[in-house]
Amino acid sequence: MRLRLNVARRRWQTAAPLAWVLGVMVAWAAAPAAQAQTVFACGPEWAALTRVLLPEARVHTATHAQQDPHHIEARPALIAQLRAADAAICTGAGLEGGWLPTLQQRAGNPRVQNGAPGLFWAASAVTLLDPRPGAGGNPFAGDIHEEGNPHLHADPRRLPRVARAWAQRLQQLFPEQQAAIGQRLTAWDAQWARRLQAWDARLAPHRGTPVVVQHASLGYLWDWMGWRPVADLEPQPGLSPTPGHLQRLLGELKARPPGLIVLGAHQDPRAARWLAGQLESATAGRGAAPAVRQLPATVPDPEAPDALGRWFDQLLDALLPPVAGAAR
């Protein structure tokens, strides 16, 4: 009997370490893996900025450069993405007012509701251009933003302020990433300052250039570049160009036609092309016809490295004469 007990004890002692190792392995396999933070960005520009500060995050982008950010459908995919988000960054100032509240309500995610720490408004970090009084709910008044023009991402001078405020919020939300976020912000800030200096030098000879625009999507770009929007193809912000309005513009611009008519990639180019053609006919022999430039009003590819810097390079390349000595 005693021999049998000793044999059993030895077998248990031999099996116990193996069982413990197997148990640890099973528990490790069953435990959830450390998950990257999930961030919902209302615009590609904010997705690109988030990837600078938190490159390991899973970033969902609600809109793209071929869309009007004022008018987005609250699709089930967007609802699911916002429901899963640990944080969200949006412009604010009324830009997403037509669709974000619906997403918030249907997603039911307390982390990204108004007033929650997880929801960050980029407009809260800067001073906005062109505040307008409310239109009293009149749908024919167009896109009226009482706080000001919400398309602030088109000014590279304002982006560092947004980056610093967003970095601070991310550090509060994800304290384990605090040091890494701070280091990435410092490096990006220094690089951005150098780019701003180079861009400003390139812009210096072209300050004061007149331009015809459509909507204020690039209003901050003109403010930074020092260009003068002399006419808007829209009779009211957000309202499509009308024949009567275009005829009035034609009469006003005949004497001094601009060199450029610029609109966003998401906008219908037919009105711009019509006006350019009419000005060319009306001013035949008195100068070059206005060129129509259709540009992305936000970052075309927010997942690309250096997406924000490359977007501004693209805008300047399309609007300014080639740099002397640049490779072709």
Side-chain angles (χ1 to χ4, degrees), residues 3-325:
L3 178 60
R4 275 194 226 123
L5 287 173
N6 289 337
V7 171
R9 185 180 295 112
R10 283 196 298 270
R11 286 176 177 169
W12 180 86
Q13 289 171 344
T14 302
L18 178 61
W20 180 82
V21 171
L22 290 174
V24 170
M25 292 178 66
V26 170
W28 176 82
Q35 294 184 352
Q37 296 85 5
T38 299
V39 177
F40 183 92
C42 286
E45 61 277 5
W46 308 133
L49 183 60
T50 299
R51 288 189 172 95
V52 169
L53 300 171
L54 206 63
E56 71 276 14
R58 183 182 298 109
V59 182
H60 299 297
T61 311
T63 60
H64 56 74
Q66 298 295 327
Q67 291 177 303
D68 182 346
H70 297 88
H71 309 292
I72 301 298
E73 181 183 355
R75 303 187 308 277
L78 295 182
I79 296 170
Q81 290 168 0
L82 189 62
R83 182 179 295 130
D86 299 306
I89 175 171
C90 297
T91 298
L95 180 63
E96 303 94 352
W99 53 274
L100 182 59
T102 301
L103 285 185
Q104 291 172 302
Q105 180 183 11
R106 294 182 181 176
N109 182 350
R111 295 184 294 271
V112 292
Q113 300 298 322
N114 292 355
L119 178 58
F120 175 78
W121 302 110
S124 67
V126 301
T127 301
L128 301 182
L129 298 175
D130 191 27
R132 295 168 178 249
N138 178 6
F140 300 103
D143 298 318
I144 301 297
H145 300 287
E146 295 185 21
E147 298 174 55
N149 183 338
H151 305 286
L152 61 101
H153 63 282
D155 184 347
R157 300 168 302 183
R158 283 173 165 81
L159 285 179
R161 300 176 211 168
V162 177
R164 292 168 200 141
W166 180 222
Q168 184 177 15
R169 182 66 61 85
L170 290 173
Q171 288 172 322
Q172 294 169 357
L173 294 171
F174 313 120
E176 71 282 2
Q177 294 281 345
Q178 184 172 1
I181 291 171
Q183 291 168 0
R184 295 181 192 118
L185 173 65
T186 299
W188 180 86
D189 222 356
Q191 179 198 45
W192 200 255
R194 291 191 295 270
R195 298 190 84 150
L196 267 174
Q197 188 175 14
W199 287 330
D200 285 338
R202 187 177 176 189
L203 282 169
H206 307 285
R207 304 285 185 189
T209 299
V211 60
V212 172
V213 303
Q214 181 167 341
H215 198 66
S217 301
L218 295 173
Y220 286 86
L221 182 71
W222 313 133
D223 183 69
W224 166 57
M225 293 176 66
W227 284 25
R228 295 184 298 107
V230 294
D232 193 325
L233 298 177
E234 295 181 344
Q236 293 288 342
L239 301 184
S240 298
T242 61
H245 179 65
L246 292 175
Q247 286 289 351
R248 284 192 294 273
L249 292 184
L250 178 60
E252 295 169 1
L253 296 172
K254 280 181 181 179
R256 288 190 175 182
L260 284 172
I261 301 175
V262 182
L263 64 158
H266 63 283
Q267 293 167 325
D268 188 336
R270 288 178 293 180
R273 291 171 181 166
W274 179 89
L275 183 60
Q278 293 297 312
L279 286 172
E280 181 180 16
S281 299
T283 61
R286 293 194 288 117
V292 175
R293 295 281 186 271
Q294 196 161 13
L295 305 176
T298 184
V299 177
D301 184 5
E303 296 184 7
D306 190 30
L308 284 164
R310 291 171 60 179
W311 176 52
F312 281 102
D313 283 336
Q314 179 182 359
L315 294 177
L316 295 188
D317 286 345
L319 295 170
L320 299 178
V323 178

